[in-house]
Amino acid sequence: MAVIVDVFGARTDNFGYLVHDTAAGRTAAIDAPEAAAIRTALTLRGWELTDIFITHHHIDHVEAIPELKAEFGARVVGPRAEADKIADLDVLVGGGDMVTLGETSFDIYDTPGHTLGHIVFHEPVGRHLFSADALFSLGVGCMFEGAPGPMWEGVKALRALPDDTLVYCGHEYTASNASFALSIDPGNVALQQWAAEVAELRAAGRPTIPFLLGQDKAANPFLRADDPALASHFGLEGADPADVFVAIRKSKDNF
Ligand code: ZN
Ligand code: FE
């Protein structure tokens, strides 16, 4: 009983992911950024698409749903809270629910903020987290729809997952996130080390995904909003971590 994850690029800077349950031979696409990229990945692996797991309603995550559903008859699982914004969902889920792919189970977490109904898929046995635009390496998605409090709570719930969790996010934003993180947290050795590694990977044309959650816990400023050192960088000593979180978010928006 195991899963294989296939990582590929889609659109301009989206990641496409296929998750294959070896026991049952089922394959899920995590989000549907681009039909051609997903079809090519399936062909290279010799897998048949059976499922599509959707994280949020943005076009770069849902555009290929109708085409893939028509071609493969795949079952589409997605956020109940965004069912009115996403066509063709077959199974509606939210935080605390579980969804299966053959013999593999995924726990759903609510991660509101980037969009109000954003969800992520966590596979606890192999320790894979498909975080889409809720959690990037050294960053989080822009807060387009949510509020700071719930967004921080969602991110904190992901931070509570084991350090050896492999995180697969929606976009290759790590290098620019590293520049921002270093600007507000220049003395952080874990951050300096990961930023140097990121620079090497990108120079070699390689993705920074998947990344280790434990490494990001020490380096990602958004995962450290309750660290007094970051609070004091923003002059927010003793403030609610959600307020520090939003200060980091605003600072990144203007970086
Ligand atoms: Zn998005
Ligand atoms: Fe996106």
Side-chain angles (χ1 to χ4, degrees):
M1 201 173 71
V3 290
I4 301 169
V5 181
D6 190 66
V7 180
F8 52 97
R11 305 175 78 99
T12 42
D13 62 17
N14 278 73
F15 281 112
Y17 299 115
L18 293 177
V19 185
H20 181 72
D21 171 73
T22 55
R26 290 185 75 98
T27 303
I30 307 296
D31 284 330
E34 185 194 344
I38 290 169
R39 199 179 293 118
T40 300
L42 287 164
T43 304
L44 286 171
R45 291 282 189 169
W47 295 341
E48 187 79 10
L49 191 72
T50 55
D51 299 77
I52 303 172
F53 294 171
I54 297 295
T55 60
H56 68 295
H57 68 81
H58 285 159
I59 190 73
D60 60 312
H61 297 259
V62 303
E63 194 169 49
I65 295 174
E67 193 176 336
L68 292 171
K69 203 175 170 176
E71 186 171 345
F72 296 97
R75 172 185 72 149
V76 188
V77 178
R80 182 177 296 115
E82 297 186 356
D84 57 333
K85 296 194 177 81
I86 307 168
D88 295 314
L89 293 182
D90 300 308
V91 180
L92 303 178
V93 294
D97 289 341
M98 201 191 76
V99 64
T100 58
L101 179 75
E103 294 188 5
T104 305
S105 299
F106 296 80
D107 298 322
I108 314 292
Y109 287 75
D110 284 325
T111 49
H114 180 67
T115 66
L116 268 179
H118 194 297
I119 56 171
V120 303
F121 295 82
H122 177 238
E123 189 276 288
V125 176
R127 298 197 168 156
H128 302 100
L129 173 65
F130 297 94
S131 63
D133 295 359
L135 176 66
F136 299 120
S137 181
L138 303 178
V140 297
C142 289
M143 194 172 71
F144 288 129
E145 296 179 7
M151 189 173 187
W152 164 240
E153 292 303 319
V155 163
K156 222 167 51 170
L158 302 186
R159 186 180 68 173
L161 295 172
D163 283 356
D164 59 356
T165 301
L166 292 167
V167 187
Y168 301 78
C169 60
H171 298 270
E172 180 61 71
Y173 292 160
T174 315
S176 63
N177 286 344
S179 308
F180 168 71
L182 284 166
S183 78
I184 61 166
D185 198 13
N188 184 328
V189 175
L191 169 59
Q192 291 165 4
Q193 286 170 347
W194 176 223
E197 230 179 291
V198 166
E200 275 180 37
L201 286 167
R202 297 307 293 145
R206 291 171 56 200
T208 60
I209 272 53
F211 61 91
L212 271 173
L213 184 60
Q215 188 175 38
D216 227 54
K217 287 180 194 179
N220 185 338
F222 293 94
L223 295 181
R224 302 178 58 244
D226 50 1
D227 185 313
L230 272 175
S232 81
H233 174 86
F234 291 97
L236 291 169
E237 289 88 349
D240 187 324
D243 294 333
V244 179
F245 183 88
V246 80
I248 302 170
R249 186 61 267 171
K250 279 190 180 135
S251 170
K252 173 73 165 73
D253 292 342
N254 299 316
F255 183 66

